[in-house]
Amino acid sequence: HVGDVVRKVPKGEVDQVLVVDDGSTDGTTEAAREAGAQVVRHEQNRGVGAAIRTGIAYARDHGFEAVVILNAIGKYDPAGVGTLLKPLREESADLVQGSRFVAGGSHHGIPFKRRIGTRGYSLAFSTLLGHSVSDASSGIRAFRTTLAYSEGIRLDQPWLDRYELEPYLLWKSIECGYRVVEVPMTVHYPSGPRSEY
């Protein structure tokens, strides 16, 4: 799916599309490059959190002001990238989380168990944090590159190599008082063997 996702990123909304290939063996690097993305490759699978850290470090080292995180299986519509970046460009937010559950957001093909789990997770996340978040498990977000290296947010911890990094980043951004907003996103759950992802 990665080539399709790269091609659907709206031209003019971002300066560069980077794919972090986390040790794949299925031609991901070639498909991403063919679609026009820059690729950084991990020779061994290190986990989604480690891949995100690699992408953020690339953004920092190349002078990018903001980072958009988008999964490569096509679940989140890349057309939403502009909506994510708008509050950053207007300087009204430091981190923007895409949500399928706020007004204007939508989801299609989500398995019933996943829908219940997603809503339950967001409720538990909000209750523990003391701050309402409608879609805490969303896989699409944008934030200022400097936020990832700011005091109070330590993304370099080894325990964040896998799926823990994304909720940790959201939690710490809110806890540290950064301006976090949710914007509507469309989510399409793929059919087939990866339908539960």
Side-chain angles (χ1 to χ4, degrees), residues 144-177:
R144 300 184 190 287
T145 308
T146 53
L147 181 141
Y149 298 98
S150 59
E151 189 174 343
I153 298 179
R154 291 194 49 233
L155 297 184
D156 60 336
Q157 301 172 80
W159 68 274
L160 296 173
D161 277 356
R162 300 220 171 256
Y163 289 98
E164 302 88 355
L165 186 140
E166 292 177 280
Y168 173 87
L169 177 61
L170 178 60
W171 181 288
K172 294 299 287 186
S173 296
I174 295 169
E175 188 178 64
C176 290

Side-chain angles (χ1 to χ4, degrees), residues 56 65-67 69 88 94-95 141-145 147-148 169:
I56 296 169
E65 295 179 13
V67 174
I69 298 174
L88 297 181
D94 301 303
L95 184 146
R141 65 189 50 78
F143 51 89
R144 300 184 190 287
T145 308
L147 181 141
L169 177 61

Side-chain angles (χ1 to χ4, degrees), residues 37-168:
Q38 178 72 29
V39 178
V40 174
R41 179 171 166 75
H42 293 169
E43 289 308 315
Q44 295 181 338
N45 179 271
R46 292 165 46 193
V48 66
I52 289 171
R53 276 203 305 267
T54 294
I56 296 169
Y58 180 96
R60 176 197 61 195
D61 295 346
H62 289 81
F64 292 104
E65 295 179 13
V67 174
V68 177
I69 298 174
L70 173 67
N71 75 33
I73 64 168
K75 191 163 68 171
Y76 296 90
D77 186 352
V81 167
T83 302
L84 282 170
L85 288 170
K86 189 170 186 283
L88 297 181
R89 290 180 172 134
E90 294 175 347
E91 299 191 1
S92 60
D94 301 303
L95 184 146
V96 184
Q97 180 95 346
S99 173
R100 69 203 96 177
F101 301 123
V102 296
S106 63
H107 52 85
H108 309 279
I110 181 169
F112 178 73
K113 288 190 295 186
R114 179 55 62 96
R115 189 179 328 138
I116 297 299
T118 300
R119 295 309 290 258
Y121 176 82
S122 296
L123 178 60
F125 188 97
S126 300
T127 301
L128 291 168
L129 184 58
H131 181 98
S132 179
V133 178
S134 72
D135 199 351
S137 63
S138 173
I140 184 168
R141 65 189 50 78
F143 51 89
R144 300 184 190 287
T145 308
T146 53
L147 181 141
Y149 298 98
S150 59
E151 189 174 343
I153 298 179
R154 291 194 49 233
L155 297 184
D156 60 336
Q157 301 172 80
W159 68 274
L160 296 173
D161 277 356
R162 300 220 171 256
Y163 289 98
E164 302 88 355
L165 186 140
E166 292 177 280
Y168 173 87

